[in-house]
Amino acid sequence: MLKLYNTLSRKKQIFKPLKKGKAGLYTCGPTVYWFAHIGNLRTYIFEDILKRVLEYSHYKVKHIMNITDVGHLTSDADTGEDKLEKGAKRERKTVWQIAEFYTKAFKQDINRLNIKPPNIWIKATDTIKDQLNLIKILEKKGFTYKISDGVYFDTSKLKTYGRLWKTKKRQDKTRARVEMVSGKKNPTDFALWKFSPKTGKRQMEWKSPWGVGFPGWHTECVVMGIKNLGIVFDIHCGGIDHISIHHTNEIAQAEAAYGKVFARYWLHGEFLILDKGKMAKSEGNIIILENLIKKGFNPLAYRYLCLGAHYRSKLCFSLNALKGAQNSLDNLYQKITELTENSSPSNSKHYENISRSVKNYQKRFLGFIQDDLNMPKALALMWQMIKDKKIPAKAKYKLLMDFDKVFGLDLSQIKKIKIPEKIQELVKQREQERKQKNYQKADEIRAEIKKQGYVIEDTKTGIKIKKISV
Ligand code: AMP
Ligand code: ZN
C-alpha cells in the first residue's frame, strides 16, 4: 500500500489512482536560462524516485515535464526581467539559442544522474494558443482585470484561493514581502499575460486579444498538465518553494476555470542547502553537476547522497558529504563485483530458509519505499542484506538488481565494466617493474592508473583492478 504525503491535505495518504493501475504525473520542469544547480537536481531526483516507486508498485506511469522557456521573471512577484531574456543578454545570443542550449544541458544532467526522462516534454512556447484559451475562459468567468502592464488574475474573486499554502504560519512568512506591481488590486494577484514594453521589442512575444506580450509563468503548467493528463490527474510535484506561489496560482486558475483542483496529490521536495545557507542563483553560490564531475566525482555519487536523506528533509551539501557518498557507492560497486565473482551454489538443504529471508527483505524494502518514499531506510536495509551471511551471493545479487529499479544507481552496469586494454597494459608494466624491484617506477604507474579512474589492489589471490569512477 503506497502512502504519500500530500501537501494539500497535510497528511500521509494512501495513494488511490483515478484509473486502476495507472498514474498520471506532472513535474514542473526547468527554466532554461542557465544550468540546473544541484539543488534543482535534488528535486528531479526525488521525482524520479517517486516515479520508480510507482512503477515498482505496478502502476503504469504517464509522466509530463515542461520546459519553461518564456515568462518566468526574476521575481516571483511579476516584476523583474524575463529570465530567458536575461540569459540571452548575458551570453549575447538569442533567447531561442539560450533555451535550446540549456535544455540540452539539462537533459544531459538528468541522463548522467540516471533520471528517467518523462514520456512527454513540452515547451511553454509551444502552448501559447492553449494558454491564451485558458486566459479567455478566466476572463469570461470574471476572474481577470487588465492594467497597464498586463492581464491579472483577481485572487479576491476566488474564495478558495491559497488552499495549498494557507496555514497561517506559511502565509505570513512566505508572502509578507511580495512587491506590488502598480495597479494590482491585491498583493496575491498574479500576471496571466504581460505586455511587451512600450519601448523596444522583446525577442519572444505574441499577439493576444489584450495586446502583444507573453504569458505569465503559472499558466503553462495548468495547460500542459490538463491537456496531457486530463482535467483531474493524479500527482503534481515540484520543490517546496513552489507551494506558496507557483502551485497556489496554478490551482487558482484551474479552480476558477473548471471548478476543480486539477491534481489530487501534491508532493514537494525539501531544499538542498549549503553549509553556508541557501543555494540560489541570486545568492551567487551555485554548484552545478559539471563542477562535481570535474572534481572527479561520479554523478551517481550525488544521487546516492540524495537517497540518504528523506525528500521532505533538508539536505545540507558539502564536499565531504559527497566524498562519503562516493566511498559508499564505490564500496557497493565493489561488493557487486565480488558477488558476481563468487557464484558458489547455495546449499539446497537451506533453500527454504534462504527463500524466506529473501522474501522478508523484499517485503521490508517495499514497506520502506511505500512509506512516503523512505529511501534512507531502504538504503540501510540494502547494506544489512549485503552483510547477511544467510543469503548466498547469487540471491544477494538478484535482490540488489531488484532494489536498484528504485535506487537507480545503475548497478547492473557493474558486471559489464571491462577494464580497458590501456589500463591492463599499465598493470602489466607495473608488475614487471615490481619484479625488477623498481618500486618507485611501479608506484608512478599505479598513480597513473589511479588518475585514469582505476585502483589496483595486491591480494593473496593476485592483483585486483577496480574502477573508481564510472
Ligand atoms: P526552476 O528551474 O527555478 O524552475 O527550478 C526547478 C526546480 O528546482 C523546482 O521544482 C524548484 O522548486 C526546485 N529547486 C529550486 N531550488 C532548489 C534547492 N535549493 N533545492 C531543491 N530544489 C530546488
Ligand atoms: Zn510548474
Side-chain angles (χ1 to χ4, degrees):
M1 211 165 23
L2 175 58
K3 278 182 262 147
L4 300 170
Y5 183 86
N6 190 350
T7 310
L8 205 54
S9 63
R10 295 195 153 67
K11 272 195 227 116
K12 248 191 232 179
Q13 284 179 287
I14 295 170
F15 175 65
K16 290 189 186 138
L18 282 162
K19 287 187 205 129
K20 197 166 175 258
K22 296 194 172 162
L25 173 67
Y26 185 92
T27 57
C28 287
T31 307
V32 284
Y33 74 115
W34 185 242
F35 295 103
H37 59 62
I38 56 171
N40 301 137
L41 294 173
R42 181 188 183 199
T43 292
Y44 299 110
I45 291 172
F46 135 62
E47 292 162 347
D48 185 54
I49 298 293
L50 168 66
K51 180 170 164 181
R52 286 166 180 267
V53 169
L54 285 163
E55 286 172 347
Y56 194 88
S57 309
H58 306 297
Y59 292 104
K60 192 171 184 330
V61 181
K62 184 171 178 189
H63 176 200
I64 315 296
M65 194 189 292
N66 65 310
I67 298 283
T68 300
D69 56 355
V70 68
H72 191 172
L73 304 187
T74 47
S75 150
D76 280 343
D78 294 317
T79 57
E81 215 176 337
D82 186 321
K83 291 185 175 182
L84 265 289
E85 300 259 346
K86 191 177 167 184
K89 268 189 218 150
R90 181 187 65 224
E91 298 184 26
R92 292 164 204 250
K93 288 183 184 159
T94 68
V95 275
W96 303 98
Q97 285 168 327
I98 290 290
E100 197 189 331
F101 179 83
Y102 288 111
T103 301
K104 252 195 201 150
F106 176 72
K107 289 184 179 173
Q108 188 186 29
D109 277 349
I110 64 164
N111 185 37
R112 294 198 278 206
L113 289 166
N114 205 20
I115 291 173
K116 294 183 180 187
N119 301 83
I120 302 176
W121 296 100
I122 325 171
K123 292 194 279 183
T125 49
D126 284 343
T127 60
I128 300 296
K129 218 169 126 194
D130 300 296
Q131 296 192 56
L132 286 171
N133 284 339
L134 174 58
I135 303 168
K136 281 183 213 161
I137 296 174
L138 293 171
E139 184 181 45
K140 234 189 201 157
K141 295 200 169 189
F143 285 97
T144 67
Y145 61 90
K146 186 175 157 182
I147 55 176
S148 64
D149 113 305
V151 177
Y152 278 75
F153 185 99
D154 186 344
T155 52
S156 67
K157 294 262 167 76
L158 184 71
K159 280 204 184 73
T160 53
Y161 180 78
R163 55 163 83 237
L164 199 62
W165 60 281
K166 231 175 194 170
T167 61
K168 279 190 191 100
K169 245 169 46 201
R170 190 183 290 285
Q171 184 171 359
D172 295 339
K173 261 195 200 159
T174 55
R175 291 208 121 168
R177 283 176 289 115
V178 167
E179 299 159 52
M180 275 290 263
V181 169
S182 115
K184 237 166 82 162
K185 291 186 186 169
N186 311 288
T188 46
D189 293 355
F190 56 92
L192 297 164
W193 189 260
K194 293 271 279 186
F195 298 136
S196 292
K198 299 209 168 49
T199 52
K201 198 173 145 49
R202 278 173 54 92
Q203 290 189 44
M204 282 178 176
E205 56 182 21
W206 295 264
K207 281 186 191 144
S208 86
W210 313 280
V212 173
F214 60 101
W217 174 38
H218 315 301
T219 307
E220 64 182 89
C221 294
V222 186
V223 161
M224 295 181 204
I226 287 176
K227 193 170 175 180
N228 293 284
L229 297 169
I231 208 142
V232 178
F233 57 86
D234 295 302
I235 309 176
H236 194 317
C237 304
I240 197 156
D241 57 326
H242 282 352
I243 295 175
S244 61
I245 299 181
H246 184 51
H247 287 171
T248 285
N249 293 347
E250 285 185 22
I251 290 176
Q253 291 170 83
E255 260 197 299
Y258 309 113
K260 289 173 184 169
V261 176
F262 68 121
R264 299 173 68 224
Y265 299 83
W266 291 77
L267 270 65
H268 295 96
E270 248 295 356
F271 261 30
L272 179 86
I273 52 169
L274 298 177
D275 20 11
K276 292 172 220 93
K278 195 181 153 198
M279 165 146 43
K281 285 163 202 168
S282 54
E283 316 268 323
N285 54 7
I286 295 305
I287 302 173
I288 61 171
L289 194 62
E290 190 70 23
N291 300 143
L292 304 181
I293 293 170
K294 281 194 181 135
K295 283 191 190 333
F297 289 105
N298 177 347
L300 293 181
Y302 180 61
R303 186 175 174 107
Y304 188 99
L305 181 73
C306 292
L307 288 171
H310 190 265
Y311 78 92
R312 286 197 293 119
S313 309
K314 284 194 176 62
L315 171 59
C316 186
F317 179 85
S318 68
L319 282 181
N320 267 343
L322 186 61
K323 271 181 205 151
Q326 175 82 66
N327 280 342
S328 302
L329 187 62
D330 289 341
N331 269 344
L332 181 57
Y333 289 163
Q334 184 55 30
K335 289 278 185 272
I336 290 171
T337 316
E338 285 165 17
L339 291 176
T340 54
E341 284 165 3
N342 172 7
S343 55
S344 54
S346 53
N347 189 335
S348 57
K349 262 206 296 193
H350 300 307
Y351 181 77
E352 266 183 34
N353 281 347
I354 293 167
S355 127
R356 203 175 310 126
S357 299
V358 165
K359 280 202 183 113
N360 191 270
Y361 276 113
Q362 279 170 325
K363 195 172 146 208
R364 287 167 69 201
F365 179 75
L366 191 66
F368 290 144
I369 62 167
Q370 290 196 331
D371 180 16
D372 196 27
L373 323 178
N374 199 332
M375 292 303 129
K377 284 209 170 147
L379 262 191
L381 181 78
M382 175 194 75
W383 282 109
Q384 188 190 336
M385 186 278 288
I386 289 174
K387 286 177 200 146
D388 191 335
K389 293 205 172 71
K390 295 193 294 296
I391 315 255
K394 224 175 172 176
K396 280 186 185 171
Y397 182 81
K398 259 180 122 173
L399 271 174
L400 280 171
M401 293 308 121
D402 185 53
F403 293 176
D404 199 44
K405 287 179 194 154
V406 176
F407 292 142
L409 294 168
D410 216 3
L411 302 183
S412 64
Q413 295 304 313
I414 305 308
K415 223 168 55 173
K416 294 183 206 148
I417 291 171
K418 275 187 85 180
I419 308 298
E421 271 179 31
K422 198 169 67 180
I423 302 294
Q424 291 188 30
E425 191 49 44
L426 283 170
V427 173
K428 266 191 217 153
Q429 279 175 24
R430 174 179 171 266
E431 267 312 271
Q432 275 168 6
E433 299 293 351
R434 263 160 50 100
K435 271 185 196 146
Q436 289 161 17
K437 300 205 169 24
N438 295 333
Y439 295 118
Q440 196 185 339
K441 183 77 191 150
D443 282 348
E444 281 169 22
I445 298 175
R446 179 198 276 258
E448 175 58 28
I449 291 170
K450 192 167 178 199
K451 225 166 108 186
Q452 302 212 19
Y454 294 83
V455 282
I456 37 183
E457 279 176 5
D458 302 304
T459 69
K460 278 182 207 151
T461 50
I463 296 169
K464 277 197 172 165
I465 312 169
K466 289 199 258 171
K467 187 159 174 40
I468 49 176
S469 169
V470 182

